[in-house]
């Protein structure tokens, strides 16, 4: 005697489970792709630095002029410029995973309050560990320190400016 469910519901439970599993995987994949795309678009390509100047214009000035203008900016804008630069470096392929981890730690200090208070003891302690690690483990030279931590230009922008100056 056959079960009435088998006769009235012609559904293969195993195939239904496979279908549900496949749909869950597709949903999870789409969720991951969407969330990654959203987090990457949070970094603006260009923005106003002050009433007359955009970031892309600022980084095209000679470094000494950039520094002069940077010093005059409010702490919020200094923070935005530096965070933009670090986020760009983190999304690039020039740095190793370990170097990026250390830059992410550095990013924790980049707040408007940091620029108001100048340096704190906590930052000075981090800076010593950061410098030592970058030199001993990753072989950073003065050039790498400048490229990745001491300018608001991304390393690509800096290298392009050097290339353009050599051609002129």
């Amino acid at each position: 005697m056959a079960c009435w469910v088998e006769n009235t519901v012609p559904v293969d439970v195993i195939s239904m489970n496979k279908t549900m599993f496949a749909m869950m995987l597709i949903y999870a994949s789409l969720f991951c792709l969407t969330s990654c795309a959203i987090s990457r678009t949070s970094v603006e390509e260009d923005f106003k630095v002050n009433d007359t100047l955009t970031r892309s214009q600022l980084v095209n000035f000679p470094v000494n002029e950039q520094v002069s203008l940077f010093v005059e900016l409010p702490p919020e804008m200094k923070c935005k410029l530096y965070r933009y630069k670090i986020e760009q470096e983190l999304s690039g392929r020039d740095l190793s995973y370990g170097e990026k981890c250390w830059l992410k730690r550095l990013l924790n200090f980049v707040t408007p309050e940091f620029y108001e208070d100048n340096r704190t003891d906590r930052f000075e302690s981090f800076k010593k560990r950061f410098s030592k690690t970058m030199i001993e483990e990753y072989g950073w030279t003065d050039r790498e320190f400048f490229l990745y931590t001491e300018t608001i230009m991304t390393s690509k922008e800096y290298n392009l400016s050097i290339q353009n100056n050599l051609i002129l």
Side-chain angles (χ1 to χ4, degrees), residues 17 19 97 113 134:
N17 284 341
T19 303
Y97 175 78
E113 295 78 26
M134 292 305 161

Side-chain angles (χ1 to χ4, degrees), residues 7-165:
N7 294 333
T8 58
V9 183
V11 175
D12 182 8
V13 176
I14 295 174
S15 126
M16 188 170 140
N17 284 341
K18 287 181 183 176
T19 303
M20 291 297 288
F21 183 70
M23 289 176 61
M24 286 174 36
L25 282 176
I26 290 171
Y27 175 75
S29 298
L30 287 173
F31 177 78
C32 288
L33 286 173
T34 305
S35 63
C36 289
I38 289 170
S39 68
R40 284 290 173 218
T41 57
S42 67
V43 176
E44 298 176 46
E45 288 300 317
D46 200 14
F47 50 87
K48 282 199 155 285
V49 172
N50 60 27
D51 294 335
T52 59
L53 197 60
T54 63
R55 183 196 171 280
S56 60
Q57 292 169 324
L58 176 61
V59 298
N60 282 312
F61 290 142
V63 174
N64 59 343
E65 288 180 42
Q66 288 179 34
V67 171
S68 296
L69 289 166
F70 184 82
V71 168
E72 299 300 319
L73 293 172
E76 294 79 14
M77 185 52 63
K78 291 176 183 177
C79 179
K80 187 173 183 175
L81 285 165
Y82 196 73
R83 288 188 77 79
Y84 174 87
K85 178 258 190 329
I86 296 293
E87 288 171 2
Q88 290 298 307
E89 299 299 351
L90 291 172
S91 67
R93 296 181 182 196
D94 295 336
L95 299 171
S96 70
Y97 175 78
E99 289 167 315
K100 287 180 180 183
C101 286
W102 277 96
L103 279 180
K104 285 179 187 176
R105 291 178 191 160
L106 174 63
L107 204 54
N108 291 331
F109 289 95
V110 182
T111 64
E113 295 78 26
F114 173 79
Y115 289 104
E116 291 169 353
D117 299 339
N118 282 327
R119 305 227 182 319
T120 63
D121 290 338
R122 196 174 127 236
F123 177 73
E124 289 301 322
S125 172
F126 169 79
K127 186 173 134 183
K128 288 177 185 173
R129 287 191 331 268
F130 178 85
S131 298
K132 183 178 179 183
T133 302
M134 292 305 161
I135 292 168
E136 292 177 1
E137 290 185 31
Y138 300 104
W140 277 24
T141 62
D142 289 342
R143 183 178 189 278
E144 279 86 14
F145 277 104
F146 179 79
L147 276 178
Y148 298 117
T149 65
E150 298 172 6
T151 178
I152 58 169
M153 289 185 283
T154 65
S155 57
K156 290 178 185 172
E157 290 167 337
Y158 179 78
N159 289 333
L160 186 61
S161 73
I162 294 298
Q163 185 180 27
N164 288 340
N165 286 333

